[in-house]
Amino acid sequence: MANANVDASAPKWTAPAGALTIDMHSHAGRVIVSRNPAIGANRPFMPLAAPMRAGGMNVICLAIVTDTTVTRVSDNRKRFEAWREPQPGELYALGQTEFERAHRLIEREHVHVVTNAASLQSLGPLGPCAIVAAEGADFLEGHVDRVDEAYSQHQLRHLQLTHYRVNELGDIQTEPPVHGGLTDVGVEVVRRCNALGIVVDVAHGTYDLVKRAADTSTKPLVLSHSALATHPGARSRLITPDHARVIAGTGGVIGVWPSSGSFRDLHGMAEGVKRMADVVGVEHVGLGTDMLGFISPPVLRSYEQLPDLASALLQAGFTQEEVAAILGGNYRRVFEVSVG
């Protein structure tokens, strides 16, 4: 899927020897259980491995979502929002269903599962690979021991603390704060992830949540999918420079997303990556496509467009080596430090 906004004569990116491309946040293959209860976990999958191969994407953080039964699209069609309280055990059960669905997709598409630095090194170049991730720790329902269960039973290696409902771990950007940031339970979850070897993702969390998570974590944090706000507003998913600097201060990485609400095309996205790099340094910037997670079509709709994005990054002034870092090297560093 070529992008009409990318000049065919644009410079081409050549991956350095040993480089891996990694998407920090993806729902590719349509891994998420349908919000339509009549379809639910029987939602048909979409191709995953073929577009990854076509675009040269080695590894994706394949993210399940564990609040779908209690969230819906808002009236203004701009975001998801919680609309009811879950029943006890409901989101835990949803998590089990989602993890099982993720592994069915992985098996169907013959995708390798990456669980540690050694498997990333050995399997990553072979591709396509997946790091099992969860967007929102809602399935924990406040039970820290369930982190261990997800790690051992479902191969979870990347956990985003919050999503579109204020949960037991902390506050979210798109709703008024309730907890004042990260809760004490959230602190325990961060520490457990550090101990087990799970990447901690603070996307969707408030600035106060991110600051406490940074003070708690002994490993780098990631904020897997967002962009810098040109005009920061209330309830926005975008982040301020100070917000970004907290992540970078842990040695972590911010994934820039391809939201059409933020960027007009891939060139605009590349400029957004440049603005982020100007704030935190290129070594703290990555790619988080949120593939198949947007309400409105994004400016990067398939992994087949990855070469076009790489070309746009070169045109924005990044070197070949810097593009390699943005498209995977920076997240690889955090994964290896966090997971071991």
Side-chain angles (χ1 to χ4, degrees):
M1 182 187 293
N3 189 292
N5 294 308
V6 177
D7 188 343
S9 64
K12 300 296 187 288
W13 177 60
T14 302
L20 293 177
T21 52
I22 305 175
D23 183 357
M24 296 170 60
H25 185 75
S26 175
H27 308 293
R30 202 153 64 183
V31 67
I32 305 171
V33 166
S34 174
R35 285 180 166 81
N36 182 343
I39 300 173
N42 296 317
R43 188 183 198 187
F45 290 124
M46 293 176 65
L48 171 60
M52 287 179 68
R53 289 194 186 96
M57 177 60 76
N58 298 113
V59 184
I60 64 171
C61 295
L62 185 63
I64 67 167
V65 176
T66 60
D67 63 3
T68 54
T69 57
V70 297
T71 57
R72 63 186 178 190
V73 178
S74 62
D75 289 340
N76 62 12
R77 302 289 301 175
K78 291 186 176 180
R79 61 184 174 89
F80 294 101
E81 63 183 6
W83 64 278
R84 69 171 175 85
E85 286 297 314
Q87 297 296 315
E90 178 182 357
L91 299 189
Y92 173 73
L94 176 61
Q96 302 307 297
T97 299
E98 288 262 6
F99 281 125
E100 290 166 9
R101 181 173 168 84
H103 283 285
R104 286 206 312 275
L105 173 62
I106 287 166
E107 182 177 3
R108 173 187 183 270
E109 294 287 310
H110 304 290
V111 170
H112 304 291
V113 178
V114 168
T115 57
N116 52 33
S119 58
L120 181 62
Q121 181 176 353
S122 62
L123 299 174
L126 304 177
C129 295
I131 295 166
V132 176
E135 181 165 32
D138 302 271
F139 69 98
L140 300 179
E141 297 181 329
H143 298 279
V144 180
D145 59 317
R146 289 179 181 171
V147 178
D148 296 67
E149 179 184 274
Y151 177 90
S152 60
Q153 294 188 16
H154 305 300
Q155 298 177 300
L156 179 71
R157 294 299 185 271
H158 180 128
L159 179 61
Q160 183 180 309
L161 304 181
T162 60
H163 190 218
Y164 274 116
R165 58 181 289 271
V166 178
N167 65 18
E168 296 84 359
L169 277 64
D171 293 322
I172 61 174
Q173 292 173 289
T174 50
E175 295 292 343
V178 173
H179 303 297
L182 187 70
T183 65
D184 291 344
V185 172
V187 166
E188 291 183 55
V189 168
V190 170
R191 288 174 176 160
R192 196 67 199 131
C193 288
N194 288 168
L196 287 170
I198 297 174
V199 175
V200 176
D201 186 348
V202 291
H204 285 260
T206 61
Y207 182 40
D208 286 334
L209 179 147
V210 171
K211 287 189 291 184
R212 192 177 186 197
D215 288 340
T216 300
S217 183
T218 59
K219 304 290 177 63
L221 299 175
V222 303
L223 196 159
S224 59
H225 56 297
S226 187
L228 282 178
T230 51
H231 302 287
R235 313 283 82 85
S236 171
R237 273 281 293 112
L238 303 181
I239 62 174
T240 65
D242 285 343
H243 196 138
R245 290 186 189 104
V246 172
I247 305 298
T250 69
V253 181
I254 302 106
V256 176
W257 65 358
S259 171
S260 58
S262 299
F263 309 117
R264 70 188 184 282
D265 55 22
L266 290 182
H267 285 296
M269 181 180 174
E271 291 298 326
V273 172
K274 188 174 186 299
R275 287 193 295 274
M276 186 71 78
D278 288 343
V279 168
V280 297
V282 70
E283 67 272 23
H284 299 294
V285 186
L287 172 66
T289 70
D290 204 1
M291 188 69 68
L292 298 186
F294 287 100
I295 296 172
S296 300
V299 300
L300 191 149
R301 301 174 303 281
S302 169
Y303 290 123
E304 295 177 34
Q305 293 174 273
L306 189 64
D308 293 340
L309 174 60
S311 292
L313 290 168
L314 290 170
Q315 288 181 287
F318 292 105
T319 67
Q320 294 275 345
E321 293 74 17
E322 287 171 338
V323 172
I326 293 163
L327 295 185
N330 292 335
Y331 180 83
R332 180 178 186 173
R333 180 190 72 244
V334 171
F335 182 85
E336 289 175 345
V337 169
S338 299
V339 177

